[in-house]
Amino acid sequence: MGLYGENDKQGQYWNEQPGQSWVIHDAAMNERLQIISDILFEDLEVLECKNGLDIGCGAGSTTRRLHETLGKEGHVTGLDISGKLLGVARSHSESNGLHFLQADAQSYAFDREVFDVVISRFGVMFFENPVKAFQNIKSAIQPGREMRFVCWAPMSANDFFISPLKTVVDITGVSFAEPGREPGPLAFSDRTYLSSILQEAEFSSVNIDVVETSINTRDSVEQNAALLMEIGMGFRAIKEADPSDEILSEIRQAFINDGKKRLENGVISYDATIYRVSAMA
Ligand SMILES: C[S@@+](CC[C@H](N)C(=O)[O-])C[C@H]1O[C@@H](n2cnc3c(N)ncnc32)[C@H](O)[C@@H]1O
């Protein structure tokens, strides 16, 4: 096994340059994902949990929120493959009831049946072997308790992905195929496939709701353009195209112009579609 368990490629990705972008833009992404976080946490308090796990917790925004939701008696673990993102998470807070663990969720030897809730905001789509990963996660959940996560519906239903991508493709001519089921943000965008993975991992009561929502920011159009140059599908296409500085400026300006069209009452908005997934161990 490599340095990052059974997910060496993703481990490198999230510990090196692209992961670094998430470190720099953590606050900006939390702002953009605020509504989606609220969807993830809807009614969570009624589950009356005491021991929670946040998979692919990144810089820990949802881990901290889970800890607040569970209250003083609660224990929460944020698990992530990226030491860089966990560094940010730990700098916010770590206490008796809240701690962070660097590990590969697919191969980490969890204690069995300890957690009474597992959550994830976009942190479970990066496994080489998703069935094995979810079997491993399930082994750590008390029988009958809930795992819930949000993941992305297809790219065509997500403006935040498709719009910057189209801009980069139009300007550079780079060919960029819609990602398939390989590890990545869109790996679970086929609902039937996602359902089959969770069934195969022997979760029960699998429920996948399609939720139409939005990604919003009060950043300036310039700040928003700077973020799009470093995160998301536009960024991935820029890396692929490897354009000159002149073309990079053209792309940045196109992102700014697009931001201006989206701006209303000081807010830049993108339509987004996610799956809200719940399943019982
Ligand atoms: C899109 S980010 C989401 C981060 C965080 N949940 C949030 O919403 O800000 C995906 C996260 O999954 C983590 N990740 C990827 N593969 C992983 C694995 N095999 N085990 C644990 N974490 C993983 C990455 O390091 C990254 O922090």
Side-chain angles (χ1 to χ4, degrees):
M1 235 189 272
L3 184 58
Y4 304 114
E6 293 176 3
N7 280 279
D8 219 32
K9 219 163 138 193
Q10 286 297 315
Q12 282 168 25
Y13 182 91
W14 290 102
N15 279 280
E16 288 160 22
Q17 202 272 327
Q20 195 69 48
S21 299
W22 281 83
V23 168
I24 295 163
H25 298 295
D26 178 51
M29 287 309 294
N30 285 330
E31 185 212 13
R32 283 162 176 75
L33 299 179
Q34 183 59 48
I35 299 176
I36 294 174
S37 299
D38 293 345
I39 293 167
L40 175 66
F41 276 85
E42 224 167 67
D43 293 335
L44 193 111
E45 66 286 351
V46 302
L47 300 180
E48 294 191 0
C49 309
K50 292 272 169 279
N51 196 11
L53 173 67
D54 185 0
I55 298 278
C57 67
S61 145
T62 48
T63 326
R64 291 190 294 280
R65 181 161 172 180
L66 183 59
H67 189 227
E68 278 160 30
T69 308
L70 266 51
K72 279 202 185 91
E73 303 298 308
H75 285 263
V76 174
T77 303
L79 178 145
D80 201 282
I81 205 164
S82 168
K84 294 236 166 72
L85 282 162
L86 290 175
V88 182
R90 290 187 176 113
S91 74
H92 285 292
S93 61
E94 204 167 18
S95 64
N96 279 345
L98 173 64
H99 85 279
F100 295 96
L101 171 69
Q102 185 176 6
D104 165 30
Q106 183 179 313
S107 52
Y108 179 69
F110 287 108
D111 287 342
R112 292 185 66 81
E113 301 181 359
V114 287
F115 297 107
D116 52 14
V117 67
V118 171
I119 66 159
S120 182
R121 185 181 76 180
F122 302 126
V124 290
M125 302 90 84
F126 305 92
F127 305 131
E128 284 298 330
N129 185 336
V131 171
K132 190 170 177 201
F134 281 112
Q135 280 169 339
N136 194 39
I137 293 165
K138 180 173 176 282
S139 75
I141 309 176
Q142 294 170 15
R145 302 302 303 219
E146 184 175 331
M147 170 182 73
R148 62 165 72 179
F149 61 83
V150 286
C151 62
W152 298 108
M155 184 152 77
S156 53
N158 279 295
D159 240 9
F160 185 71
F161 287 152
I162 199 80
S163 164
L165 174 61
K166 195 173 170 313
T167 299
V168 178
V169 168
D170 286 352
I171 292 175
T172 63
V174 69
S175 63
F176 191 88
E178 174 133 8
R181 293 172 177 175
E182 67 271 17
L186 294 155
F188 293 161
S189 58
D190 175 346
R191 249 172 113 196
T192 312
Y193 169 64
L194 172 56
S195 177
S196 72
I197 286 172
L198 296 174
Q199 313 268 5
E200 222 182 303
E202 296 193 354
F203 278 92
S204 60
S205 309
V206 174
N207 191 58
I208 306 176
D209 289 331
V210 182
V211 185
E212 289 182 5
T213 176
S214 61
I215 289 180
N216 302 316
T217 178
R218 288 193 168 275
D219 276 355
S220 68
V221 288
E222 289 80 11
Q223 287 167 323
N224 187 54
L227 178 127
L228 295 177
M229 300 295 293
E230 294 184 359
I231 272 183
M233 289 300 157
F235 159 72
R236 286 179 188 233
I238 290 171
K239 261 184 64 187
E240 196 69 33
D242 194 16
S244 65
D245 287 351
E246 201 181 326
I247 298 290
L248 280 174
S249 303
E250 195 181 330
I251 294 170
R252 189 176 295 106
Q253 190 55 50
F255 287 164
I256 291 173
N257 296 344
D258 178 69
K260 285 179 184 163
K261 287 188 206 143
R262 294 173 184 280
L263 191 62
E264 223 181 295
N265 299 323
V267 178
I268 302 170
S269 281
Y270 296 85
D271 290 339
T273 309
I274 59 163
Y275 297 146
R276 176 177 49 196
V277 182
S278 67
M280 299 298 171

